[in-house]
Amino acid sequence: MTTKSPAATQWAAAGSALGVLALGLLAVLLGRPGELAHVSALPWWVFTVGFALAEAGGLNLSLRGRRYPISLVGLPLAAGLYLTDPLSLLVGRLTGGLLVSAGHRRQTPASLLAGAFSMIAGTALAELLFRVLVLQYEVLSYPGRVLTLAVVGLAVLVEVGLKVLVHRVGAGHRREAGGLLARALVIGVLGAAVGLIPAMWLVHDEPLVTGAVLGPGLVLGYWAFASLSERHDRLRRLYRLSDDLAHAPDPARAIPLVLEQSADLLRARYAELMLTDALPAQRSTSGRRLWVLRDGRITGPRTPAPDLLFPLAGAALVRGSDPDEASFLRGRGIDQAVRVPLRIDEQVIGHLVVGDRRGGERGFAPADPDLLQTVADRTAVALGNGHLLERLQFEARHDELTGLPNRLDFRAQLDECVDDLISGGRQCAVMLLDFNGFKAINDTLGHHAGDQLLSALAGRFGKVAGKGVTIARLGGDEFAVLAPGMGDGAARALARRLMSAFDEPVRLDANELRIGGSLGVAVGPEQGTTGAELLRRADVAMYVAKSGGGGYRMFTRSMDLPAEQVHTLATALAEALKEGRIGIAVQPVVDLVSGQVHALEALARWNHPELGEVPPEDFFAAAERSGLVVELSRCVLDQALAGARQWLDAGQRVRVAINLAPGWLADPSLPEQITTALAVHDLPPELLVLEVNEADVIDEPDTAHGVLAALTRLREIGVRLSVDDFGTGYSSLTFLNRLPVDQIKIHQSFVQELRSAGRDRAVVQSIIDLGRNLGLEVVAEGVADALTRIELKRMGCRFGQGYYFTAPMAVGELAWQASGRLQGFGPWTTRLLPNGFPPVPAQPTDTGDRLRSPLDAPLDTRLDTLAECSTPTTARPPSAP
């Protein structure tokens, strides 16, 4: 399908106009036919009146927002073919038609010009066909009469068809346009039949009494039909609007309907609806709101500018006759408008405005304000009912006291959000919060005080939570939190902010109330893939926090163990500790440049005679809940230091690292215990690395100061400190400033997504740069393949740890080469690396090589080989390390 250029379209229009003018000139120049010379010619003004009356009483049909008058112009046209000359008929047609179009229909100059050309074409065509076809027979003979009806009907059809053609009716409206043209043809023939009555009387002097009665009756009947049809069309549109409003009670859906159908009803380009803050049953007073439809496009709601406001005195036409009206129209960019108020129970709640006629009409009729007022009345009722329904729906899904979502709404949001996020590979945090001591406040000060406390704290939660976080009240003093897209670190930060809401007392009348809270956090998909599962596990973590005196707790798998299983494990663990059946495994931290072992991290292992290998998180949870965590940690420390002493005696100076459990961190005598253990094994303090998690220090505000002081004392005696899982906390920079650490370990969740080139890569690079600038060792945890190791080295990371190098191994499996390397380990062997990997020559080493700063030696790229990258590693982490 080809589209004509604008220039071609203009030439086609100009050619058509010239053709029409030539056709009209030809009809005028031919003069009056000789066959009618004996018939007296009526003057042009008679036909001007006739055409004006016919046009004014026509039937108006709408097509694509334009009104096409289908009138009885066939009546004066048929009579004029016999009773006047072509020039008088053409002048009468143009004068009468244009007077009605300009004065009654208020059409634009462009529409008047198009209408004039169509009138010339129809009248000239009728004159020419009248000469060629009708006058071949005797004047007003029966064949001539029939042909006259056909000629006039065709002329009316051409006249209306040209108007439709000018407006370019699309393919989707062709059927509607066909119906309009069919009506034009029928009405044209009907008008011609009536117009022949005076012609037969004046030409043949026929006493047509029946026709004289029937003709005016047909005309009056047609005008009555046209009027009823117009009213019926408006009523049909009003009924459709009422029906649509009844099926769209939501104001968000009702308002666009009102704007679109109001503009369609009055054939306008512009419509606006403004609501004040006085709408009954609305739950907020957000001020005035404005919606605007302009050329089919709806915008809003928005706050209207002051110059758009106008006093509402009633329905009226606004034509700009005074300064206020002129300002009203100018602010909207329209020429004329109909403005009506929206009222509910005599209270004005806004207004409805329709402006700028389309379809070639210049203004509005005096009856249009009444029509639009009917629309406004129906709209006001619908909006009032819609807001009442909205209020009921809001109350059904929100807590009456705090205004927060209730349990029903939260569960709906939870299920939908978790399904969408987890299916899309994103994380989601769910939290449960319960007050500590709330029942005592209700019992002593009454439920009114309890309600005030709940409202005050709910407001604080909303302020500290931030955007995108949903907080709901499930009932009583229990609140739930939904945080889409939050992983472990962000969830910890949010939990701390929520707990900070309890820092300040709540003032109630003359009382200051202090209350605490317990918060449980579960993060999906690691800890659940459904809303119900995450909510249940957050509940478990919340009760663990409550049993520990408050604060917040992140869910761990061990929390979900049945109470009897935890008790059984605790009992068996106590016996295992007493009998010395708790062992350790070690996993190396490797220098990514030289391939040497930089340190060995000691990990607790327990092989139960009946249960087999017990997961560390399970027996550590049992130890925490039974008070055995300090004894278990001492056991791991003792074995790690014994191993380091053994290796030192064998000439291998290697560091050992252990994790400090939160329960041991809180022990004030921790520095003395560490110092004593080092003395027992006669081990230099610099060979011990203590790994701490920043959350374990900062999350306990009551003990944080003492913990930081104890760790500082340990650093002063020479023990090295490492921050584990760096990057997942909330205040890492603050933590590094407060604690003199030597090393940071990048959490494996960032390292394992390193090759995705997303935000995780930027986080890893930032941590590496931070460590380099602060002179700290940087260790990447979770290195699982050669490409990750190579990429880390290229980014400037010096040390790595993970299953790519080796899984945790028993101390007895370690064997050292004379060079100081582990036998069967490292890139110079073939046990853990691809076949064909070229060996790296041994480098000179001394006892201090592994303790030098990672910045002492330049990065080496000799290990970056194609074979290493293309062959998968054979060492993979088990499901539960």
Side-chain angles (χ1 to χ4, degrees):
M1 178 179 179
T2 59
T3 303
K4 292 183 179 180
S5 65
T9 302
Q10 292 175 0
W11 279 107
S16 301
L18 291 175
V20 170
L21 291 176
L23 185 67
L25 182 61
L26 176 62
V28 170
L29 291 177
L30 288 175
R32 194 175 188 196
E35 292 85 348
L36 298 175
H38 64 284
V39 180
S40 299
L42 297 177
W44 64 272
W45 58 266
V46 173
F47 293 96
T48 296
V49 174
F51 279 113
L53 291 174
E55 288 279 6
L59 174 66
N60 293 301
L61 299 179
S62 295
L63 178 62
R64 289 192 65 191
R66 291 182 175 270
R67 298 186 75 186
Y68 294 90
I70 309 299
S71 60
L72 288 173
V73 293
L75 190 157
L77 182 59
L81 292 174
Y82 289 95
L83 301 178
T84 192
D85 59 273
L87 179 59
S88 298
L89 182 62
L90 185 58
V91 171
R93 178 72 186 100
L94 286 172
T95 307
L98 293 178
L99 282 175
V100 173
S101 297
H104 178 62
R105 297 198 181 98
R106 296 176 293 280
Q107 290 186 341
T108 61
S111 295
L112 291 175
L113 183 61
F117 276 103
S118 66
M119 293 176 195
I120 293 173
T123 306
L125 180 65
E127 284 283 0
L128 295 176
L129 292 179
F130 180 70
R131 291 173 179 273
V132 174
L133 299 177
V134 178
L135 294 182
Q136 297 300 318
Y137 300 92
E138 184 180 352
V139 176
L140 287 175
S141 63
Y142 286 105
R145 296 177 187 182
V146 173
L147 288 173
T148 300
L149 299 181
V151 167
V152 172
L154 181 61
V156 173
L157 182 64
V158 168
E159 185 175 323
V160 176
L162 284 176
K163 294 179 181 179
V164 174
L165 184 63
V166 166
H167 299 140
R168 298 181 182 180
V169 176
H173 297 272
R174 286 176 181 173
R175 183 174 180 181
E176 189 177 354
L180 184 146
L181 294 176
R183 291 190 182 188
L185 178 61
V186 171
I187 295 174
V189 171
L190 176 63
V194 179
L196 285 177
I197 295 174
M200 288 185 293
W201 175 49
L202 294 174
V203 174
H204 281 184
D205 198 22
E206 296 181 17
L208 300 176
V209 178
T210 305
V213 174
L214 181 61
L218 288 174
V219 173
L220 292 174
Y222 170 75
W223 283 347
F225 168 75
S227 177
L228 288 174
S229 178
E230 184 84 6
R231 292 172 59 187
H232 172 75
D233 182 63
R234 290 192 171 189
L235 288 174
R236 178 179 59 83
R237 292 168 182 265
L238 285 174
Y239 173 77
R240 186 180 69 180
L241 175 60
S242 299
D243 186 60
D244 289 344
L245 289 176
H247 289 86
D250 181 7
R253 294 175 56 197
I255 289 174
L257 280 174
V258 171
L259 292 174
E260 291 169 355
Q261 297 196 27
S262 296
D264 183 60
L265 188 63
L266 295 184
R267 303 176 304 285
R269 292 189 179 91
Y270 178 89
E272 79 174 33
L273 190 148
M274 184 184 295
L275 294 179
T276 69
D277 55 2
L279 189 62
Q282 65 182 17
R283 63 173 180 270
S284 65
T285 55
S286 55
R288 292 181 175 88
R289 290 158 293 160
L290 177 68
W291 292 260
V292 172
L293 178 144
R294 192 184 298 273
D295 293 325
R297 182 182 177 185
I298 297 177
T299 57
R302 60 184 175 87
T303 302
D307 59 344
L308 295 182
L309 305 179
F310 192 79
L312 296 173
L317 281 173
V318 183
R319 294 192 173 98
S321 56
D322 59 55
D324 288 339
E325 288 190 354
S327 175
F328 180 90
L329 297 174
R330 187 169 52 252
R332 291 160 172 78
I334 56 180
D335 297 326
Q336 193 177 97
V338 180
R339 175 188 50 81
V340 296
L342 296 170
R343 290 190 180 94
I344 295 181
D345 297 331
E346 301 304 322
Q347 182 181 12
V348 176
I349 64 167
H351 70 226
L352 180 61
V353 175
V354 172
D356 270 0
R357 284 275 198 177
R358 56 181 174 170
E361 298 176 67
R362 288 183 297 175
F364 295 94
D368 287 339
D370 292 335
L371 177 63
L372 191 61
Q373 185 64 67
T374 304
V375 175
D377 292 341
R378 285 166 169 74
T379 302
V381 172
L383 290 177
N385 292 340
H387 276 274
L388 179 60
L389 179 60
E390 184 184 42
R391 180 65 185 178
L392 293 174
Q393 291 174 341
F394 178 85
E395 291 177 351
R397 303 181 72 91
H398 288 75
D399 176 55
E400 182 180 2
L401 177 64
T402 62
L404 297 175
N406 60 14
R407 183 183 296 273
L408 175 66
D409 190 64
F410 181 80
R411 287 304 301 267
Q413 290 190 51
L414 176 65
D415 293 338
E416 181 180 0
C417 177
V418 170
D419 289 345
D420 290 345
L421 287 172
I422 293 181
S423 62
R426 299 178 61 195
Q427 292 179 300
C428 179
V430 177
M431 308 179 186
L432 275 180
L433 174 64
D434 190 77
F435 294 175
N436 299 336
F438 181 72
K439 184 176 183 300
I441 293 176
N442 268 341
D443 292 343
T444 55
L445 299 180
H447 289 280
H448 177 68
D451 290 346
Q452 288 182 297
L453 178 64
L454 288 171
S455 297
L457 287 173
R460 291 184 184 179
F461 296 150
K463 290 179 180 179
V464 301
K467 294 182 179 180
V469 177
T470 298
I471 300 178
R473 182 188 177 205
L474 303 187
D477 59 342
E478 188 176 31
F479 291 79
V481 181
L482 175 61
M486 283 196 180
D488 184 87
R492 288 178 183 271
L494 174 59
R496 282 192 288 269
R497 296 200 302 271
L498 291 171
M499 296 308 295
S500 70
F502 298 100
D503 292 347
E504 297 294 328
V506 177
R507 298 181 183 276
L508 301 179
D509 299 327
N511 299 312
E512 279 193 359
L513 301 181
R514 284 191 175 273
I515 194 171
S518 299
L519 180 68
V521 185
V523 178
E526 295 87 353
Q527 295 156 1
T529 55
T530 66
E533 195 172 24
L534 288 173
L535 193 61
R536 183 181 66 81
R537 289 180 170 173
D539 188 50
V540 170
M542 185 266 289
Y543 277 104
V544 171
K546 185 176 281 291
S547 64
Y552 84 85
R553 293 292 184 273
M554 305 295 292
F555 175 83
T556 60
R557 193 182 67 174
S558 58
M559 290 182 181
D560 217 13
L561 296 174
E564 59 272 14
Q565 184 174 347
V566 172
H567 179 71
T568 301
L569 281 178
T571 302
L573 179 61
E575 295 178 358
L577 287 170
K578 186 181 298 184
E579 298 172 3
R581 288 190 281 107
I582 301 297
I584 64 169
V586 291
Q587 187 176 34
V589 175
V590 179
D591 189 319
L592 298 179
V593 176
S594 67
Q596 290 180 317
V597 175
H598 178 68
L600 291 169
E601 181 178 0
L603 306 168
R605 291 295 184 263
W606 179 21
N607 191 350
H608 192 276
E610 298 177 0
L611 301 177
E613 285 288 341
V614 181
E617 62 179 10
D618 287 358
F619 65 77
F620 262 97
E624 287 181 349
R625 294 169 70 172
S626 60
L628 296 173
V629 67
V630 174
E631 186 176 352
L632 177 60
S633 298
R634 287 175 185 160
C635 176
V636 174
L637 174 66
D638 184 69
Q639 295 186 63
L641 295 180
R645 178 72 257 176
Q646 178 184 348
W647 303 324
L648 188 59
D649 291 341
Q652 305 300 329
R653 187 179 178 86
V654 59
R655 297 176 186 161
V656 290
I658 68 166
N659 286 282
L660 283 180
W664 202 12
L665 272 172
D667 191 337
S669 63
L670 175 64
E672 287 75 18
Q673 296 180 50
I674 298 295
T675 303
T676 300
L678 289 169
V680 167
H681 293 281
D682 191 20
L683 200 69
E686 63 268 18
L687 292 186
L688 176 62
V689 181
L690 298 178
E691 296 185 5
V692 297
N693 192 309
E694 61 176 305
D696 295 336
V697 178
I698 298 176
D699 291 349
E700 301 293 342
D702 295 335
T703 60
H705 181 74
V707 170
L708 288 172
L711 293 178
T712 302
R713 286 171 56 198
L714 286 169
R715 183 63 186 85
E716 288 173 351
I717 67 175
V719 175
R720 294 178 176 265
L721 299 178
S722 174
V723 181
D724 199 13
D725 295 339
F726 188 83
T728 61
Y730 174 59
S731 54
S732 300
L733 292 177
T734 303
F735 185 78
L736 291 179
N737 287 332
R738 296 171 66 185
L739 185 66
V741 298
D742 304 276
Q743 182 186 87
I744 52 178
K745 302 182 77 172
I746 307 174
H747 191 265
Q748 63 180 353
S749 63
F750 300 114
V751 176
Q752 290 168 355
E753 297 294 329
L754 187 62
R755 291 163 59 185
S756 65
R759 290 187 175 182
D760 290 333
R761 180 183 179 86
V763 170
V764 172
Q765 186 66 67
S766 299
I767 296 174
I768 293 172
D769 294 340
L770 175 65
R772 178 182 297 172
N773 292 333
L774 296 179
L776 305 177
E777 296 176 353
V778 180
V779 180
E781 298 181 295
V783 180
D785 54 54
L787 286 174
T788 302
R789 180 194 67 78
I790 292 172
E791 194 61 31
L792 285 166
K793 187 159 68 104
R794 289 174 177 169
M795 295 170 72
C797 182
R798 187 59 181 269
F799 301 103
Q801 182 179 9
Y803 280 78
Y804 168 70
F805 304 108
T806 183
M809 64 180 69
V811 175
E813 296 178 11
L814 293 176
W816 299 89
Q817 294 180 350
S819 63
R821 295 179 173 87
L822 288 175
Q823 290 183 0
F825 171 79
W828 53 89
T829 68
T830 59
R831 185 172 73 86
L832 297 178
L833 295 176
N835 293 329
F837 184 81
V840 178
Q843 301 176 2
T845 183
D846 56 31
T847 56
D849 278 350
R850 299 179 190 83
L851 300 181
R852 289 186 299 177
S853 167
L855 304 178
D856 292 343
L859 294 180
D860 189 352
T861 58
R862 288 177 296 171
L863 301 181
D864 304 346
T865 66
L866 181 61
E868 182 179 6
C869 296
S870 60
T871 309
T873 180
T874 58
R876 295 298 182 197
S879 58

